[in-house]
Amino acid sequence: MVGLVSAAGLIGLLDEPNDVIKCYALKQLDASVHQFWAELADHVSKIEELYESSNFPERELAALVTSKIYYHLQEYDESMAFALGAGNLFRITAKGEYEETMIAKCIEKYIAISTQNANILEASSNPPTFSTEDIPASFRPSSNRKRGLLDSEDLEVEKIDPRLEDVVERLFRSCFETKDYRPAIGIAIEARRLDVVEEGIRLASERSKKAGKGKQTNDEAEKDQGVELMEYVLEIAMSVVQEITLRNKLLRLLVDLFLAQPSPDYFSISKCVIHLDDHSLAAKILQDLISKGDSKSLLMAYQIAFDLDSSATQEFLQKVASELPGSEDDSQETDNGSSVAATAGDSMDDDDDANERTKLLSSGSAKSSTPYAATQPKYYRAIRQILRGTKSIELNLEFLYRNNRTDMIILNKVKESLEARNSIFHNAVTFSNAFMNAGTTSDGFFRQNLEWLGKAVNWSKFSATAALGVIHKGNLSQGMKLLEPYLPRQGVAAGSAYSQGGSLYALGLIYANHGTDVLDFLRTQFKNTSDETVQHGGALGLGVAGMATGNLSLYEELKVVLWADSAIAGEAVGLAMGLVMLGTGNIKALEDMIQYSHETQHEKIIRGLAVGMALIMFGRQEAADDLINGLLEDPDPILRYGGILAIAMAYCGSGANKAIRQLLHVAVSDVNDDVRRVAVLSLGFILFRKPNAVPRMVELLSESYNPHVRYGASMALGIACAGTGLDEAIDLLEPMLKDPTDFVRQGALISMAMILVQHNEQMNPKVSTIRKMFEKVVGEKHEDAMAKFGAAAALGIIDAGGRNVTIGLQTPTGSLNVSGIVGMVVFTQYWYWFPLTHFLSLSFVPTSIIGLDENLNIPDFKFYCNTKPSLFDYPPKVEEATEKAVEKVATAVLSTTNKARQRAKRSEKEKAAKEAANKGDSMQIDEVPSAPVTPAPSGAAAGDKMDIEEEGASEKKDEGAAEQEKTAAKKAKAERETPGYWVDNLSRVLPQQLKYISFPEDGRYTPVKKVGAPSRAENIMHVLNLLQPTGGILLLHDRHPDQPAQLMELKSRKPAPSAGPGNAVGAGITPVGASPMLAASRGEVGSGGAEAAIHILNAEDDDGDEDAPLPHEFEYESGGEGDE
């Protein structure tokens, strides 16, 4: 049958008076509208009239045909409106392009209306954090500012078209019927339809249960599809959803659904609890697990406590601990760095206690509830110590102590290359040493270089003393004793104020984010001094140790010093106020800081307050918008700088498009270079969870004419891509290493080190070249001082923590690493104040697997790594250059010289023969045979050739051959390596290495924490019956608890004698390194630096003794010009 070639006949039928004929024409047109839409476009009004006629029987069909015509005309809004009028004739299950486009438009419209209505209702029920009365007049939104969605007071909730709702509901039902739950749940989340999310999860769970009843399954049945959907929603809530109110609602729903499961996923619940800031629920979960009375539940409680400690703030953890049964006094016995195992492990190691606990845990909880209650205080005491951070700090300290691989040769080269009399160079060496040995307690560099240390004056001395806090970070048991000789003493005026202030700062760094035990001491010292240098160090120490405690009395004490209007103390106090009130959004604190920032004339104080206000708004997202808008409209560029940092902190890690747009706008429009620089830099904080997106975003900015924008782009790459080794980021930074501006090179050097931290040549072939380039910049005499500072800091960062830490802005559980983010944002302020560089140590995260048993002891066992050992091995140690003995080189002799000597010998012989003949001597003289003469080559040039080759050329050939031999040997060794080896507990495991790590299923210890299924590339683990773990501290289930366990001894737990005359702090401490044997083999002095430096750092500086000036440009004349 010949097909239609024109729709003119069918269009003519639409003019017939008979409705039956019109209906027939519409049916034919519906089947061929995609072919003849161009003809039908001229007569679409006729079809519209049929739809609008209430008497026409096929109105829905007319609407469908009209919708398809408008679709081809690309009038999608009109097409969607008529598609809704088509009713059930619009088939959402059809797979055509038209249907898919219309469904997408319907969903888009439905989500837009639902989102707007939800925002209006949310704004009406929850007024903004700041009212116009709360904000000073200069910070209120200006009248000419463009009004936003929620600024209007007459917005009303828009009613959704019932036909649109019907289409979306039909789509939901269709997805549920086909068991395609995820698209429906995704749409429901965007549309704020949490009822649909809950319905889909419950429906999937019920169907999985019904399907499971009819099948015979093993002990480990297939995962419930409802649980998979809950994990899917949790992933969306944590990584995709940007609105904090919607995220909180989703997490509340998930907590209820998880708890309703027969076997709740407590680890997922703990993730939700941290984001919801629900300390009561966290305490209840821990109590429920402990009350179950079985070993696995106890291990889960411990694991959740460790996860909370790594992710939550001090204020949250203190509230959780206070709601647990028992009193806080129970935990005081094991405080100040004593092992939790001493209470929860050592006290339970007695045979009687162990046997009793085994019997209780093996029996039913109902039968053993009464006797088990007697042992519960021990478990609660252990959990309290975990929440206080004592156990995790002790374990990380032990890990860094055992595995320290600091290469002192590199550090000594840096020291020898930089002139110590220049303060910037002295600080550079100090920071490099602090970073390399961060957390290792290895301070021997100070003792080995007392002469260099003695050149530190004023603030260089402050930074050098504070470096002890970075090196001994986490050394809670000895921190106070180590710093005791440096700390201020009541009634004693002797000592340098700079070392006293630096020691208070160091004390805060040792107890960073876990300062419960030193806050009272720091507060006393801070209040009792009137020296602004000591106040500066005390304020920084209070801020670091009291981070996120929300302590109002501490805030008031800081405010008293702020009002003294001291520029030196005020800058640190403003920063400390923000650190103490971190993330609280405290309105009263913000009002005080905003007001004083307008009253004071000191830029240093304003800058400290600006950064402090940004920290107070950490993680507040939309709640910080009013403050951000007020700061960005202020005429003072320092406060606008604070507004940009407030965006970075409020939307940190969210990837919010609104925040990114605002930062990019300021980066190209603000008139102040500092504001533009920090706007580009802040992109790294917003997008560090999506590091692959940052290079594309800053690619053009990295080529800006403005060097401040280029510097910001380099730092944004370092912050967002830290520890990833991302090739795109390295490619962007390489040209910036040769930038004509010195501070751009400085930022590129530091960022390159942050990206390549813990990378070796196997992981990234450029590592070796970049390391050599760092050393070259440091040793280059004509290099700018700022670039040298960046290279020295880079050498410390790339080998940070004895090569055992990375830079982590989020925890292994996916939560924000609060202390790490704060440390990074304050570190970036080194641009204005070098001592703040030490804050970067807060971002250092040990890369390890530390397995613990039920007693919180460290069992001696091994786990498996399914890759070549060289892939994730430590970088090779730098070979120390050996001095070669001076060898005597033979004198070069020309061939013409040889000829002259031979002629002289012949003439002497002839002369002697003549003399003998004249005398009539009858004695016969034997002729001495002459040396054979080699005929000289022809030509004048050949006659001048030396008989001996140049020594330098041969040496170069030898060096090149040796280098080629080394490279070939490395390649051959890597090829000979067989993949797969066993790793000891308490060893370094990089984040990239985790996917290769596994525990044998038939081994004695298996991790209690649930992990994901191996990827397709890891099928070997299925064959070997291996379980893939996560990193960090892992609680292990012991399959053979009746067998004796071999435990690892804590080598870092060494008592430090109290300081005093003739018994200085640090005496008697064993050398620290990877191990005592390793330190001895290196010839290093591992410790004692704090002791040896006491008299140098405590010495008062002479009056008028200032830091050595920076070298300036100078002119010189050559000798020849001078003679003329």
Side-chain angles (χ1 to χ4, degrees):
M1 180 179 178
V2 180
L4 291 175
V5 294
S6 174
L10 296 175
I11 295 172
L13 294 178
L14 296 177
D15 296 326
E16 294 291 330
N18 193 333
D19 290 342
V20 176
I21 297 177
K22 293 179 181 178
C23 291
Y24 171 79
L26 285 175
K27 290 180 181 178
Q28 298 301 317
L29 289 174
D30 179 44
S32 56
V33 64
H34 297 302
Q35 181 180 0
F36 301 113
W37 63 269
E39 288 185 69
L40 294 173
D42 296 331
H43 305 279
V44 68
S45 58
K46 292 183 181 180
I47 307 175
E48 286 187 39
E49 290 176 0
L50 295 178
Y51 167 69
E52 293 171 356
S53 174
S54 58
N55 297 325
F56 187 67
E58 295 289 346
R59 293 180 63 242
E60 293 182 349
L61 180 60
L64 182 63
V65 175
T66 305
S67 173
K68 293 179 179 179
I69 296 173
Y70 278 118
Y71 163 74
H72 286 288
L73 293 173
Q74 297 185 0
E75 296 287 343
Y76 296 123
D77 291 333
E78 292 289 333
S79 178
M80 182 190 68
F82 283 103
L84 294 177
N88 292 329
L89 293 181
F90 175 51
R91 296 177 298 170
I92 62 174
T93 57
K95 299 299 181 182
E97 184 180 344
Y98 161 75
E99 287 80 8
E100 291 177 356
T101 305
M102 287 302 100
I103 289 173
K105 293 296 294 183
C106 290
I107 293 172
E108 181 182 342
K109 182 69 173 178
Y110 182 79
I111 290 174
I113 298 174
S114 300
T115 302
Q116 179 177 333
N117 292 345
N119 290 335
I120 294 173
L121 294 174
E122 184 69 26
S124 60
S125 59
N126 298 320
T129 306
F130 289 93
S131 64
T132 54
E133 291 77 13
D134 295 326
I135 306 177
S138 60
F139 275 73
R140 296 174 189 171
S142 58
S143 57
N144 58 356
R145 182 171 64 88
K146 185 178 179 180
R147 302 180 74 181
L149 175 64
L150 302 181
D151 292 334
S152 177
E153 298 177 358
D154 6 332
L155 277 179
E156 295 182 357
V157 176
E158 180 180 352
K159 187 177 180 181
I160 301 178
D161 189 337
R163 300 174 300 174
L164 181 61
E165 280 187 317
D166 179 65
V167 171
V168 176
E169 291 293 341
R170 285 161 52 200
L171 179 64
F172 289 151
R173 290 195 298 271
S174 174
C175 290
F176 291 160
E177 289 173 0
T178 58
K179 298 183 179 181
D180 192 10
Y181 300 102
R182 296 197 176 192
I185 288 178
I187 295 170
I189 291 174
E190 287 197 72
R192 274 66 169 174
R193 289 290 303 276
L194 301 189
D195 57 321
V196 177
V197 176
E198 182 177 4
E199 179 186 357
I201 293 174
R202 294 188 183 278
L203 184 61
S205 183
E206 291 174 1
R207 288 177 176 173
S208 295
K209 290 178 181 177
K210 291 180 180 178
K213 288 181 181 179
K215 297 180 181 179
Q216 294 182 355
T217 58
N218 300 328
D219 294 337
E220 296 183 0
E222 294 184 0
K223 184 180 292 186
D224 188 352
Q225 195 170 2
V227 176
E228 289 184 350
L229 287 178
M230 284 188 275
E231 294 175 353
Y232 170 70
V233 175
L234 178 60
E235 182 181 354
I236 290 178
M238 303 287 278
S239 59
V240 178
V241 176
Q242 298 179 359
E243 296 83 357
I244 193 169
T245 53
L246 175 59
R247 182 188 302 131
N248 288 343
K249 291 179 180 178
L250 278 173
L251 295 178
R252 287 285 179 193
L253 173 62
L254 288 174
V255 168
D256 295 338
L257 292 174
F258 275 123
L259 290 175
Q261 295 293 316
S263 299
D265 184 357
Y266 287 105
F267 295 114
S268 296
I269 296 174
S270 66
K271 292 182 184 179
C272 302
V273 165
I274 295 172
H275 284 269
L276 291 172
D277 198 25
D278 192 344
H279 52 84
S280 299
L281 180 58
K284 183 179 182 300
I285 291 173
L286 294 174
Q287 292 182 53
D288 291 345
L289 287 171
I290 291 179
S291 62
K292 287 185 177 182
D294 61 280
S295 177
K296 186 176 181 180
S297 298
L298 178 62
L299 291 171
M300 291 177 67
Y302 287 158
Q303 186 70 67
I304 290 174
F306 277 115
D307 291 346
L308 292 175
D309 172 59
S310 66
S311 305
T313 63
Q314 284 193 75
E315 183 182 14
F316 180 87
L317 296 174
Q318 290 170 2
K319 290 179 179 179
V320 173
S322 64
E323 295 193 13
L324 293 175
S327 63
E328 289 289 338
D329 297 336
D330 296 338
S331 60
Q332 297 300 326
E333 302 172 2
T334 57
D335 214 2
N336 293 330
S338 60
S339 174
V340 180
T343 56
D346 297 345
S347 63
M348 294 188 293
D349 282 341
D350 296 333
D351 295 337
D352 295 338
D353 290 345
N355 294 334
E356 180 183 359
R357 184 177 65 258
T358 304
K359 294 177 181 178
L360 292 173
L361 295 178
S362 60
S363 60
S365 59
K367 297 180 182 180
S368 60
S369 59
T370 303
Y372 182 75
T375 62
Q376 286 190 9
K378 297 180 181 179
Y379 305 136
Y380 285 121
R381 185 163 58 247
I383 286 181
R384 277 197 178 87
Q385 293 301 314
I386 294 173
L387 295 177
R388 289 168 68 89
T390 308
K391 186 62 178 177
S392 59
I393 290 175
E394 180 189 23
L395 292 171
N396 288 328
L397 184 70
E398 176 69 18
F399 162 71
L400 294 175
Y401 178 96
R402 284 173 173 265
N403 299 279
N404 184 15
R405 295 293 191 279
T406 300
D407 196 340
M408 299 303 295
I409 296 176
I410 297 176
L411 191 56
N412 288 326
K413 284 184 178 179
V414 174
K415 187 226 14 160
E416 293 167 1
S417 301
L418 301 180
E419 173 54 48
R421 290 301 299 172
N422 291 327
S423 61
I424 185 173
F425 293 154
H426 199 286
N427 278 320
V429 179
T430 297
F431 298 138
S432 183
N433 172 43
F435 292 155
M436 281 191 186
N437 295 288
T440 64
T441 71
S442 177
D443 56 10
F445 178 77
F446 283 158
R447 188 163 73 179
Q448 294 173 340
N449 299 278
L450 294 178
E451 182 181 354
W452 166 84
L453 190 61
K455 296 179 181 179
V457 293
N458 298 340
W459 290 105
S460 296
K461 185 176 293 185
F462 179 94
S463 298
T465 310
L468 292 172
V470 178
I471 295 171
H472 291 275
K473 182 176 180 289
N475 193 2
L476 306 185
S477 62
Q478 305 174 28
M480 183 71 79
K481 294 180 180 180
L482 285 166
L483 294 176
E484 188 175 349
Y486 303 93
L487 294 169
R489 300 180 185 178
Q490 294 183 359
V492 180
S496 170
Y498 294 98
S499 66
Q500 292 177 359
S503 65
L504 294 176
Y505 183 17
L507 191 62
L509 290 170
I510 290 176
Y511 291 84
N513 203 27
H514 296 88
T516 307
D517 306 308
V518 295
L519 278 179
D520 291 338
F521 174 81
L522 288 171
R523 292 171 71 173
T524 302
Q525 298 296 332
F526 180 72
K527 290 187 295 184
N528 292 342
T529 184
S530 58
D531 189 290
E532 57 185 5
T533 305
V534 180
Q535 287 178 338
H536 183 93
L540 291 177
L542 282 171
V544 178
M547 187 189 304
T549 56
N551 193 322
L552 291 176
S553 61
L554 176 56
Y555 166 80
E556 293 296 332
E557 293 173 5
L558 291 168
K559 190 168 67 172
V560 171
V561 178
L562 176 68
W563 286 348
D565 204 41
S566 166
I568 293 177
E571 181 181 23
V573 167
L575 180 60
M577 292 164 71
L579 289 170
V580 172
M581 307 301 292
L582 177 69
T584 60
N586 189 290
I587 297 177
K588 180 65 170 62
L590 290 169
E591 289 176 358
D592 294 339
M593 298 168 78
I594 290 170
Q595 180 181 359
Y596 196 78
S597 65
H598 284 88
E599 294 177 357
T600 185
Q601 299 299 316
H602 296 291
E603 289 187 359
K604 290 174 72 68
I605 297 179
I606 299 174
R607 182 170 293 109
L609 291 171
V611 179
M613 285 187 285
L615 294 173
I616 291 177
M617 281 301 179
F618 178 83
R620 308 294 293 183
Q621 295 196 7
E622 293 89 350
D625 286 349
D626 291 323
L627 175 69
I628 291 170
N629 293 331
L631 290 172
L632 291 181
E633 293 178 0
D634 195 274
D636 190 340
I638 300 178
L639 290 178
R640 295 203 304 275
Y641 183 100
I644 295 297
L645 281 182
I647 296 176
M649 292 294 94
Y651 293 92
C652 187
S654 66
N657 294 327
K658 176 177 70 173
I660 294 172
R661 285 195 299 269
Q662 202 166 11
L663 291 175
L664 291 175
H665 173 71
V666 174
V668 297
S669 64
D670 200 277
V671 296
N672 185 269
D673 285 336
D674 287 349
V675 179
R676 297 181 66 181
R677 181 181 68 248
V678 76
V680 181
L681 180 148
S682 297
L683 291 170
F685 290 103
I686 305 295
L687 293 168
F688 69 80
R689 281 178 165 165
K690 303 174 182 177
N692 293 323
V694 179
R696 296 194 303 271
M697 187 166 295
V698 302
E699 184 175 4
L700 294 178
L701 295 173
S702 67
E703 300 173 358
S704 170
Y705 73 93
N706 190 323
H708 291 267
V709 174
R710 299 200 299 272
Y711 172 89
S714 68
M715 291 301 293
L717 289 168
I719 293 168
C721 306
T724 63
L726 194 65
D727 291 333
E728 293 84 350
I730 295 174
D731 292 340
L732 281 180
L733 286 174
E734 282 181 328
M736 302 173 77
L737 295 173
K738 302 176 182 178
D739 195 277
T741 307
D742 53 358
F743 62 79
V744 177
R745 297 199 300 276
Q746 180 191 71
L749 289 164
I750 293 174
S751 296
M752 187 72 82
M754 293 165 64
I755 293 173
L756 291 176
V757 62
Q758 284 198 321
H759 280 66
N760 59 20
E761 200 168 357
Q762 295 289 329
M763 300 170 67
N764 193 314
K766 295 183 179 180
V767 170
S768 179
T769 304
I770 292 173
R771 282 179 174 272
K772 291 179 181 177
M773 186 265 300
F774 290 163
E775 296 176 6
K776 179 182 177 182
V777 173
V778 171
E780 181 64 40
K781 292 182 179 180
H782 303 293
E783 184 61 80
D784 293 315
M786 296 185 71
K788 284 189 174 185
F789 177 90
L795 285 169
I797 293 170
I798 200 170
D799 287 337
R803 298 180 171 176
N804 291 300
V805 300
T806 188
I807 296 176
L809 302 187
Q810 61 179 337
T811 65
T813 59
S815 304
L816 296 179
N817 180 8
V818 179
S819 62
I821 294 170
V822 171
M824 182 63 74
V825 73
V826 181
F827 161 73
T828 59
Q829 305 309 304
Y830 81 88
W831 178 278
Y832 305 101
W833 192 232
F834 278 151
L836 298 180
T837 307
H838 287 310
F839 267 82
L840 183 63
S841 63
L842 302 183
S843 300
F844 293 161
V845 179
T847 52
S848 62
I849 285 184
I850 305 175
L852 301 180
D853 61 11
E854 183 182 335
N855 297 327
L856 299 185
N857 292 322
I858 309 174
D860 189 0
F861 78 104
K862 298 179 184 293
F863 48 88
Y864 189 73
C865 182
N866 185 37
T867 186
K868 294 182 178 180
S870 62
L871 181 58
F872 299 107
D873 198 6
Y874 289 96
K877 184 181 177 182
V878 175
E879 296 181 1
E880 191 169 6
T882 57
E883 296 184 0
K884 297 182 179 179
V886 179
E887 297 179 358
K888 293 184 179 180
V889 181
T891 305
V893 181
L894 295 174
S895 59
T896 54
T897 304
N898 284 330
K899 292 179 181 178
R901 289 176 179 174
Q902 292 169 1
R903 283 196 298 269
K905 289 179 180 180
R906 284 197 298 268
S907 62
E908 289 177 359
K909 293 175 183 177
E910 291 174 355
K911 184 178 180 181
K914 288 180 180 179
E915 290 178 355
N918 294 332
K919 291 180 181 180
D921 189 359
S922 60
M923 180 170 38
Q924 187 178 0
I925 302 174
D926 296 334
E927 294 186 1
V928 179
S930 61
V933 179
T934 305
S938 61
D944 296 334
K945 185 178 179 181
M946 293 185 177
D947 291 343
I948 300 176
E949 293 183 353
E950 294 180 359
E951 183 187 7
S954 61
E955 286 186 356
K956 288 181 181 179
K957 290 181 180 179
D958 293 342
E959 290 177 1
E963 190 69 25
Q964 292 179 359
E965 289 178 3
K966 288 182 180 178
T967 306
K970 288 181 180 178
K971 291 182 179 179
K973 181 179 178 182
E975 292 175 357
R976 288 196 303 269
E977 285 181 329
T978 56
Y981 60 99
W982 294 95
V983 185
D984 293 326
N985 190 17
L986 210 66
S987 295
R988 186 182 85 149
V989 177
L990 304 185
Q992 301 90 333
Q993 189 179 358
L994 283 173
K995 58 185 178 181
Y996 301 102
I997 297 296
S998 53
F999 285 67
E1001 286 188 350
D1002 55 352
R1004 176 168 180 175
Y1005 295 101
T1006 56
V1008 70
K1009 195 170 185 178
K1010 183 182 65 174
V1011 296
S1015 62
R1016 187 179 303 174
E1018 297 154 12
N1019 290 333
I1020 183 66
M1021 295 185 179
H1022 287 299
V1023 178
L1024 299 177
N1025 294 324
L1026 302 175
L1027 296 176
Q1028 181 185 349
T1030 56
I1033 299 174
L1034 296 178
L1035 271 297
L1036 305 173
H1037 176 65
D1038 190 353
R1039 296 178 181 271
H1040 306 288
D1042 53 334
Q1043 298 179 4
Q1046 186 176 358
L1047 303 179
M1048 301 178 72
E1049 179 187 1
L1050 295 181
K1051 297 182 180 180
S1052 63
R1053 195 190 300 173
K1054 303 290 182 182
S1058 59
N1063 189 24
V1065 172
I1069 300 178
T1070 56
V1072 180
S1075 66
M1077 293 179 62
L1078 181 59
S1081 65
R1082 291 182 176 182
E1084 299 174 1
V1085 180
S1087 185
E1091 169 196 356
I1094 291 174
H1095 300 296
I1096 293 177
L1097 294 179
N1098 276 340
E1100 295 187 22
D1101 299 326
D1102 296 334
D1103 294 338
D1105 188 9
E1106 300 292 338
D1107 291 355
L1110 293 177
H1112 297 286
E1113 295 182 0
F1114 58 91
E1115 298 180 357
Y1116 66 94
E1117 295 180 354
S1118 66
E1121 293 175 352
D1123 295 339
E1124 295 176 2

